Every structure is written in C-alpha cells, then in structure tokens.
Amino acid sequence: MRTEKFGGNGPEVPVIGQGTWYIDQGDRKRAVVALRRGLDLGMTHIDTAEMYGDAEPVVAEAIAGRRDEVFLVSKVLPSNASRRGTIAACERSLARLKTDRLDCYLLHWRGAYPLDETVAAFDGLMRAGKIRSWGVSNFDTGDLNELLAVAGKGKIACNQVLYHLQERAIEHAVIPWCEEHGVAVVAYSPFGHNDFPSPRSPAGELLQSVAAAHGASPRQVALVFLARRPSVFVIPKAGSPEHAADNAAAGKLELSDGEIAALDKAFPRGPKPRGLPML
C-alpha cells in the first residue's frame, strides 16, 4: 500500500483509506468484518463522523484491540462547532469510538459559528492530547483563505472534498491551494454517489479497457487515477470484505502516463464551477 505524508506536518498515511458514510445502514457484523479486512490489507486510515448515525460504534468494534494501527478521523457538525460545542462533540465521538484520541478531527462543513471559535476548540483539544491534528471538509478556496488567516500557517492538516471521475472541480483551484499550503486533500465518495461510469458509455468502455490491461477492476483504476498526485488520499466505503479487498488492491496498481492522459481526456474536469460541489 502506497503511503504519503498527510499534510505538511503529518505522518505517512495510506493513500487508500476507508470511508464509513452509510456503513451503519446494512449488516453490522459484515461491516465490521469489512473494516477489519481493510485494516489487514493496509487501509489503516478510517474516516467517520458524528453525522454518520451509528458509524462510530461500528468503527469502535472494528478497531477494538487494534487502535494503534489506525489513523482515525472523525468530524464535528457545523451546528455543534462553537468553542464549547466542538469540545463536547469530540468527547462524544471519543466515547462512541472507545478511544482516548483522534488522529485528525474535522469541521464537517462551514456553518454559522465563527471559524476562530472552532479553531480555538481544536487547539485546546490538541493541547489536551485528545486530537493530534485538525482539518476541514467541504471548504472552497475562499473559506480556506479565511481559515488560514485565523489559524496561521502549518495548522490545517487536510481538506476533505467530493472528488470522483465525473466530478473533478477541485482540480481547478482547491487542490492547487492545498498543495501550495501543505494541506492534504481527502477525496470522499470517490466512486460517485450512485454515479460510477456505466461500462456501456464511451468513457466507461475506456475505463474497462485500462482495467483489463492490468487485470484490475474499473474501481481500482478510478482510485489510482484520483490518487495520482501525492497530495490526494481517497476513502472509499466497502460494505463487504470482498469490496474492501478490491479497494485495497488499488494500492499496488500503477498506471502509465499514457493511461492517465487517456482517462483525463475521457473524464474531462470541465469548467471551473461557481461553487464547490458537495454531497
């Protein structure tokens, strides 16, 4: 499994991790087995959030006895992101996850509370040893500039954003901003939200062809394409151990420059959007 430095000051983290949005909607035992299978195969970056229903308790069960292997991330809802509210939300997440610390804690998206309140809470949680780093999710460049002015250089670990083959808007400005400022980019919903390319479409046919040339799956190729830059990490969800194994195998796959160029042409990033796409 390829690893990259997580932000300017962070540890080496697998480029392919495990998302948990909706993981509580299916069979819980199967979800736990899938997460554990992912850990066995090197996908030790696990992302969750207080918004994700019972995902945190599912993660707690999956990482029991293995906490030190895991780069664990959770998120605070904007409605809880006051200074006191952020600290209280973190305490609740720690209890649900049955751990004493998070490796990274994110503001899920920008809300009504001033950024300086949330940042002050993050700094306090770091001093207390309850989080090791902090970041944000769904922040566009304007938001990131405001956050940088509040927090100062070297504080923002990551920005988690929507990114998949058919939604590449972050390549215009968000990824370059993050790379300039040493901020990791974490791609959520890397297969799209019920929007993975159809094998019957021209672009989908190309994806199938590249996958076949490597004895890989189209989803593995998609993950490798999205994580082709050292700054980008992907967090696909897997509801079964088989899907987890398929995702993890992408960590060993390498695409040629020609294949990347062909995929880039088949799935154009399109014009720069007026706003940041998000789910």
Side-chain angles (χ1 to χ4, degrees):
M1 176 65 66
R2 179 165 66 90
T3 65
E4 296 288 349
K5 194 172 179 64
F6 195 82
N9 304 311
E12 290 283 318
V13 172
V15 296
I16 299 172
Q18 303 190 77
T20 61
W21 194 17
Y22 293 119
I23 204 166
D24 61 329
Q25 301 294 308
D27 184 284
R28 177 169 177 148
K29 290 183 179 179
R30 191 168 176 80
V32 168
V33 172
L35 286 169
R36 288 178 178 165
R37 179 65 171 149
L39 290 179
D40 293 341
L41 295 171
M43 295 190 298
T44 53
H45 173 189
I46 296 181
D47 178 271
T48 190
E50 66 172 342
M51 190 188 82
Y52 297 170
D54 287 331
E56 288 179 326
V58 172
V59 171
E61 187 174 346
I63 68 174
R66 305 182 66 172
R67 174 64 185 91
D68 290 345
E69 298 175 38
V70 180
F71 185 83
L72 184 61
V73 181
S74 193
K75 310 181 197 73
V76 57
L77 281 165
S79 56
N80 291 332
S82 66
R83 185 167 184 167
R84 289 185 178 180
T86 299
I87 293 169
C90 183
E91 295 280 10
R92 291 193 298 270
S93 285
L94 291 173
R96 285 193 294 266
L97 288 161
K98 297 183 179 179
T99 185
D100 61 350
R101 83 277 184 194
L102 293 170
D103 295 286
C104 198
Y105 193 39
L106 313 184
L107 174 60
H108 210 145
W109 64 88
R110 187 155 186 193
Y113 286 109
L115 291 174
D116 59 356
E117 285 198 34
T118 312
V119 169
F122 286 158
D123 287 343
L125 288 165
M126 285 188 69
R127 288 192 299 272
K130 293 180 179 178
I131 66 173
R132 291 181 170 171
S133 64
W134 61 264
V136 291
S137 181
N138 298 302
F139 268 46
D140 208 342
T141 52
D143 302 309
L144 289 166
N145 281 324
E146 289 185 51
L147 182 63
L148 181 64
V150 169
K153 294 181 180 180
K155 296 290 189 68
I156 309 165
C158 73
N159 184 23
Q160 186 179 125
V161 282
L162 178 65
Y163 189 37
H164 57 85
L165 286 176
Q166 302 189 106
E167 181 49 82
R168 296 173 56 192
I170 63 167
E171 293 182 18
H172 287 281
V174 172
I175 290 180
W177 191 100
C178 290
E179 289 178 341
E180 179 183 350
H181 294 91
V183 175
V185 176
V186 180
Y188 71 77
S189 297
F191 299 139
H193 197 61
N194 300 317
D195 193 26
F196 195 73
S198 167
R200 292 179 294 278
S201 66
E205 287 180 2
L206 173 70
L207 186 63
Q208 296 275 343
S209 174
V210 172
H214 290 273
S217 72
R219 289 178 182 251
Q220 289 168 1
V221 172
L223 292 177
V224 175
F225 178 81
L226 296 173
R228 67 196 182 278
R229 301 164 78 134
S231 60
V232 180
F233 301 76
V234 293
I235 48 168
K237 185 199 75 171
S240 72
E242 293 79 15
H243 288 159
D246 190 72
N247 292 340
K252 300 176 182 178
L253 177 62
E254 293 185 10
L255 300 178
S256 70
D257 291 343
E259 289 168 332
I260 288 173
L263 290 165
D264 178 64
K265 184 177 180 180
F267 297 96
R269 66 180 183 173
K272 185 177 180 179
R274 292 184 177 181
L276 183 72
M278 60 181 285
L279 293 178

